[in-house]
Amino acid sequence: MKFFVDTADVADIRSLAEAGLVDGVTTNPSLIAKSGRKMAEVIAEICAITPGPVSAEVTATEYEQMLAEGRHLRQIATNVAVKVPLTEAGLRTCRTLTGEGTLVNVTLCFSAAQALLAAKAGATFISPFVGRLDDIATDGMQLIADIVKIYRNYPHIKTEVLVASIRHPIHLVEAAKLGAGVATLPPAVIRQLLKHPLTDRGLDAFLADWRKTGQSIL
Ligand code: E4P
């Protein structure tokens, strides 16, 4: 399973990349706003840190303008994946850009039917949002199960399921059990994945015993 990091915080991405935990990055207009930086600068910096796909989202809502924004964003670096919303204009833009060899992430997917349409439009990635579905008392993980199953029924579909809006480690584990290819995780969730109280307790005990030996390895 590939791990993307869902943030526009360059320092976070750099430190996670040094630990080998970054296969790609996703951003959205809200994350860019939170960074307080110019979008083009942030995306260029992130693309230099990771060779994996870096999603940069368009903000136009009409096809011509969306396409122009997508073509502009892809010039930032060869690993930019243009992110488009799951609307008719977004799917049309997806079809044109993928036809030109550009990676495209279709975002804001909330149903299996939408995911089928994105695959038809040739999306590189489909981003179903599990946390936002859970927020409205709908089972987000069931959507992942449905999309994975449907895509497997049609082996010609090459679109990768990119599980988005992940809020906690269980979301990731469940998505992995279902066989989703990619998960995009906020840095805080990646750090939560590391933690286990028995790991901390076990390490403390080993180190206490080691100190009693009076030895040092180096
Ligand atoms: C994915 O590409 C989105 O940027 C993100 O996962 C949305 O997450 P949120 O619902 O926590 O804002």
Side-chain angles (χ1 to χ4, degrees):
M1 186 184 218
K2 285 178 265 188
F3 277 21
F4 288 4
V5 189
D6 197 27
T7 186
D9 184 318
V10 172
D12 260 338
I13 295 167
R14 191 169 280 119
S15 80
L16 291 166
E18 281 166 2
L21 295 174
V22 180
D23 299 310
V25 173
T26 51
T27 66
N28 62 38
S30 304
L31 293 170
I32 296 289
K34 192 172 160 199
S35 78
R37 301 187 54 200
K38 291 259 184 235
M39 179 180 186
E41 270 175 36
V42 182
I43 297 294
E45 272 181 46
I46 297 172
C47 287
I49 295 170
T50 174
V54 174
S55 290
E57 188 161 341
V58 299
T59 54
T61 53
E62 302 304 323
Y63 170 72
E64 298 293 346
Q65 189 65 16
M66 217 185 254
L67 183 60
E69 288 185 1
R71 286 176 173 153
H72 183 77
L73 289 169
R74 76 178 175 199
Q75 287 172 357
I76 295 175
T78 52
N79 54 331
V80 164
V82 174
K83 205 174 183 190
V84 299
L86 212 155
T87 60
E88 191 170 341
L91 293 183
R92 190 174 163 201
T93 304
C94 171
R95 185 161 179 264
T96 305
L97 289 175
T98 53
E100 294 171 354
T102 301
L103 303 174
V104 177
N105 177 358
V106 176
T107 191
L108 291 168
C109 170
F110 293 95
S111 78
Q114 288 181 316
L116 259 174
L117 294 180
K120 255 195 158 3
T124 317
F125 302 105
I126 181 69
S127 289
F129 279 37
V130 291
R132 293 192 195 187
L133 280 171
D134 289 354
D135 288 346
I136 58 159
T138 302
D139 185 356
M141 211 44 69
Q142 184 58 49
L143 174 59
I144 304 304
D146 289 345
I147 298 172
V148 167
K149 182 172 182 207
I150 290 168
Y151 280 11
R152 279 198 189 132
N153 284 345
Y154 300 97
H156 66 276
I157 293 179
K158 299 294 175 231
T159 305
E160 286 194 80
V161 180
L162 193 172
V163 183
S165 189
I166 285 183
R167 302 277 168 77
H168 49 70
I170 300 296
H171 273 151
L172 175 76
V173 172
E174 291 301 321
K177 286 203 265 189
L178 292 169
V182 192
T184 189
L185 302 144
V189 174
I190 297 187
R191 296 196 172 99
Q192 282 178 329
L193 296 173
L194 276 170
K195 295 303 278 180
H196 197 289
L198 291 181
T199 304
D200 295 341
R201 205 191 303 168
L203 183 59
D204 287 347
F206 284 155
L207 295 182
D209 288 341
W210 179 247
R211 276 192 293 277
K212 287 181 215 154
T213 71
Q215 298 181 51
S216 80
I217 291 175
L218 296 178

